């Protein structure tokens, strides 16, 4: 199985990369800096096209849209949440997902049972209202909505789409107070990816396999 993971240079993305490689899968990881990963700025259309050209004719069995940012942590409602934070967050967390899917659609269609996994968050669920982090919450809600609509549109061409809450993970983004390690999250998520099919397309699930309310 050939897997492409965006944002694979650290955190959950890196752990997913390592977990899937350990299972014997071919993994292409991307990052903005490149280096050991394929260079990709998910927010940049030219970078997306260059990435797609580099992967020309290579089937992708699983696309994991993991790259994202959390820029409004600790912002104050009275004078925070500047417009540029909204623009940068949505560019990475929503538009970046769409552009990646759009540019790699031909590669997915070359695979036998292609799948797309979108890493969202329970913070994007309308049932998990906790206040604060307005930009991040809104972007993850949009990513969830995007995934649900992609599942509807892509089912007829045989591409399954799943949306996932990775858990509250101990990473730079999640902080030290997280409930689980990146390894635990990655192991659970990989199990979810393997289980994803056209019969379950459009699912919104937690890392450990529980259905999450939208």
């Amino acid at each position: 199985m050939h897997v492409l993971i965006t944002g694979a240079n650290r955190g959950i993305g890196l752990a997913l990369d390592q977990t899937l490689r350990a299972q014997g899968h071919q993994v292409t990881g991307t990052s903005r800096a490149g280096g050991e990963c394929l260079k990709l700025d998910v927010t940049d259309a030219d970078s997306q096209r260059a990435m797609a050209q580099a992967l020309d004719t290579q089937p992708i069995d699983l696309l994991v849209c993991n790259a994202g940012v959390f820029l409004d942590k600790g912002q104050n409602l009275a004078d925070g949440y500047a417009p540029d934070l909204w623009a940068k967050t949505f560019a990475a967390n929503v538009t970046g997902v769409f552009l990646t899917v759009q540019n790699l659609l031909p590669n997915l269609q070359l695979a036998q049972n292609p799948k797309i996994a979108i890493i969202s968050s329970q913070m994007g669920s309308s049932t998990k209202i906790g206040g604060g982090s307005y930009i991040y919450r809104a972007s993850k809600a949009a990513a969830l909505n995007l995934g649900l609509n992609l599942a509807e549109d892509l089912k007829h061409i045989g591409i399954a789409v799943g949306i996932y809450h990775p858990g509250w993970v101990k990473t730079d983004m999640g902080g030290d107070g997280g409930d689980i390690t990146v390894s635990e999250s990655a192991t659970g998520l990989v199990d979810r990816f393997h289980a994803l099919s056209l019969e379950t397309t459009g699912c919104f699930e937690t890392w450990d396999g529980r259905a999450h309310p939208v």
Side-chain angles (χ1 to χ4, degrees):
M1 181 170 72
H2 181 201
V3 185
L4 187 138
I5 305 170
T6 64
N9 58 313
R10 63 178 182 173
I12 295 171
L14 178 58
L16 288 171
D17 184 304
Q18 294 169 338
T19 301
L20 285 158
R21 286 182 191 274
Q23 293 182 357
H25 301 295
Q26 176 190 353
V27 180
T28 300
T30 79
S31 74
R32 281 181 296 180
E36 294 184 4
C37 294
L38 179 64
K39 189 170 184 178
L40 173 65
D41 179 348
V42 297
T43 70
D44 183 81
D46 290 336
S47 181
Q48 288 276 4
R49 283 191 290 270
M51 178 265 302
Q53 289 172 1
L55 294 165
D56 186 38
T57 74
Q58 291 188 43
I60 293 176
D61 301 281
L62 170 62
L63 169 60
V64 183
C65 295
N66 166 75
V69 296
F70 189 172
L71 302 179
D72 60 318
K73 188 183 296 185
Q75 290 283 299
N76 187 295
L77 180 57
D79 57 9
Y81 303 99
D84 69 308
L85 293 182
W86 287 90
K88 290 177 181 177
T89 301
F90 271 75
N93 295 359
V94 187
T95 310
V97 173
F98 178 80
L99 290 176
T100 305
V101 172
Q102 185 179 54
N103 280 275
L104 294 180
L105 194 55
N107 304 78
L108 288 160
Q109 290 179 284
L110 291 172
Q112 294 223 330
N113 297 293
K115 305 177 185 183
I116 299 170
I118 297 173
I119 306 303
S120 180
S121 169
Q122 69 176 11
M123 290 176 71
S125 168
S126 61
T127 64
K128 289 287 185 179
I129 305 301
S133 302
Y134 302 112
I135 304 175
Y136 184 77
R137 289 180 186 277
S139 73
K140 287 301 183 179
L144 170 57
N145 183 273
L146 174 61
L148 295 173
N149 281 283
L150 284 170
E152 184 69 20
D153 283 341
L154 297 178
K155 185 175 183 179
H156 78 283
I157 58 172
I159 301 177
V161 182
I163 307 99
Y164 302 96
H165 166 55
W168 185 10
V169 187
K170 296 175 183 177
T171 62
D172 290 342
M173 183 181 290
D176 294 332
D179 295 327
I180 58 174
T181 65
V182 288
S183 178
E184 290 172 313
S185 175
T187 299
L189 287 170
V190 167
D191 287 343
R192 305 284 73 72
F193 303 161
H194 288 318
L196 177 63
S197 70
L198 288 175
E199 285 67 42
T200 59
T201 191
C203 62
F204 181 32
E205 296 178 341
T206 62
W207 65 278
D208 53 355
R210 291 172 289 129
H212 199 298
V214 175

